[in-house]
Amino acid sequence: NAGVTQTPKFQVLKTGQSMTLQCAQDMNHNSMYWYRQDPGMGLRLIYYSASEGTTDKGEVPNGYNVSRLNKREFSLRLESAAPSQTSVYFCASSEDRITYSNQPQHFGDGTRLSIL
Amino acid sequence: AQKVTQAQTEISVVEKEDVTLDCVYETRDTTYYLFWYKQPPSGELVFLIRRNSFDEQNEISGRYSWNFQKSTSSFNFTITASQVVDSAVYFCALSDDPTGANNLFFGTGTRLTVIP
């Protein structure tokens, strides 16, 4: 059972380059999320998708776009990367709000992105 | 507005000592959920506990215990007889959704170092 899988694990970009981070979950979850984690800060929500076909902005959406390709996959795109977007990016998924679960969001292992 | 404060940025203890990680939260919601996550040096996020606002019972799981006090808006985490493997960054988080969905707010984390 893979859970949430993120690719790539590491990436270095030059300013202005574009990049898509991939995320896939195999738990049949409806909701998926993208977070960024910066030094000394907690995770901040970039975008989320409550269900296939819907996406919504989180706390820090500027400079990013997302696509909920299907129920399993939720990608994050940087159209023109900037040094301020150097961060660790986490994808997560969760069951519907109606469903009770001991474990809320399931997180991937993160993508370490450096923009020079 | 929701907010989570982890005032302790870094804590160092000697192995076998007890340590308490503080978490203070702010919310206007009457129904909310609190979480603790562990992020070991390998970088993944490990779910530890979820507590809802109607359940103020303290919880113990092995060497871990949690003290939820609505009167002081605190949800503190104690590790008893700390071990080197406990070294990690610990995040407290708040949500008004049981799955910790779109509006999951993280504190800035406390880095715990357990010295052998």
Side-chain angles (χ1 to χ4, degrees), chain A residues 6-23:
Chain A
Q6 292 183 233
T7 55
K9 295 190 184 302
F10 303 93
Q11 185 70 49
V12 178
L13 296 177
K14 294 181 179 179
T15 297
Q17 286 186 315
S18 61
M19 170 77 187
T20 298
L21 307 184
Q22 306 288 352
C23 175

Side-chain angles (χ1 to χ4, degrees), chain A residues 33 35 37 40-45 48 59 90 94-97 99-105 107-109 112, chain B residues 33 35 37 39 41-45 47 50 52 89 91 96-109:
Chain A
Y33 318 85
Y35 293 88
Q37 182 183 19
M41 303 186 72
L43 278 71
R44 292 182 294 169
L45 184 66
Y48 67 98
E59 182 183 355
F90 285 94
S94 71
E95 299 173 359
D96 290 348
R97 297 183 180 208
T99 303
Y100 186 86
S101 168
N102 283 332
Q103 185 165 351
Q105 295 190 3
F107 285 86
D109 289 340
R112 283 155 180 77
Chain B
Y33 301 84
F35 308 86
Y37 283 88
Q39 187 176 42
S42 50
E44 73 273 23
L45 283 157
F47 167 72
R50 168 172 60 191
N52 72 58
V89 180
F91 291 99
D96 67 359
D97 175 80
T99 68
N102 54 297
N103 52 356
L104 186 65
F105 293 90
F106 282 84
T108 52

